[in-house]
Amino acid sequence: MNKLSACLYLQHACSLTGEYQMKFVALLLLTAMLIIPVSASNPVIDTWYNNRTNNDTNDLTIYINEIVKFNVTANQSIDEWNWTKDEVEQNHNYDNFSTSWNSVGKYNISVNATNNTNISNTIIWNVTVQEEETKSVNPKLA
């Protein structure tokens, strides 16, 4: 629709009264909804890594109290990042998350993302926490 026809259309709409004016407003709203782009597909977390392995492996081993930073990116703009640590929601709305554990065991970190009410795939890291290696020193006996 060019500017002149849009102006004439608007003038005609303004001259409408009552029921016809309401129908016109409803038609305008419906048209706007069809024009405004909304992502039809779910976002995809397409890159993930951590600072311990610096690659996309989902299994890693760390030491007690070692801080690990997990990073993700998605193929669409994201409204909310949803991180969990050992199945507990972390309320951390960023594309990265840093944490550590203070005891030996097997743990997990997961993340997914939402936008326009669509939800992404979920990335899960399986983390094994172990005691830090102790290095023994053999003193020389004289």
Side-chain angles (χ1 to χ4, degrees):
M1 184 179 292
N2 63 34
K3 288 184 181 181
L4 178 59
S5 62
C7 183
L8 292 173
Y9 191 61
L10 187 57
Q11 281 180 337
H12 174 70
C14 291
S15 67
L16 297 176
T17 57
E19 181 184 344
Y20 294 107
Q21 196 170 24
M22 291 303 293
K23 286 180 180 178
F24 177 75
V25 170
L27 180 63
L28 273 179
L29 289 174
L30 178 61
T31 304
M33 289 171 43
L34 295 173
I35 294 171
I36 297 171
V38 175
S39 175
S41 64
N42 291 351
V44 174
I45 296 176
D46 55 5
T47 305
W48 60 90
Y49 61 96
N50 64 79
N51 69 329
R52 180 71 158 97
T53 63
N54 287 319
N55 61 35
D56 64 358
T57 185
N58 294 84
D59 298 308
L60 64 145
T61 300
I62 64 170
Y63 297 117
I64 289 176
N65 297 320
E66 180 180 1
I67 297 172
V68 179
K69 183 177 181 181
F70 300 90
N71 300 279
V72 291
T73 61
N75 68 342
Q76 297 176 19
S77 141
I78 298 300
D79 297 325
E80 186 174 350
W81 294 98
N82 308 298
W83 291 90
T84 62
K85 177 181 177 183
D86 305 320
E87 313 305 324
V88 177
E89 187 91 21
Q90 295 301 300
N91 194 24
H92 184 80
N93 190 17
Y94 298 97
D95 63 356
N96 64 76
F97 179 71
S98 296
T99 193
S100 65
W101 288 267
N102 60 9
S103 60
V104 171
K106 294 194 180 289
Y107 303 97
N108 64 64
I109 294 289
S110 68
V111 63
N112 62 37
T114 57
N115 70 2
N116 298 330
T117 70
N118 293 326
I119 192 163
S120 74
N121 54 320
T122 299
I123 304 299
I124 301 171
W125 286 273
N126 301 301
V127 182
T128 301
V129 178
Q130 63 186 20
E131 291 280 342
E132 190 167 352
E133 291 183 82
T134 55
K135 297 179 182 174
S136 59
V137 178
N138 294 329
K140 290 187 178 182
L141 298 174

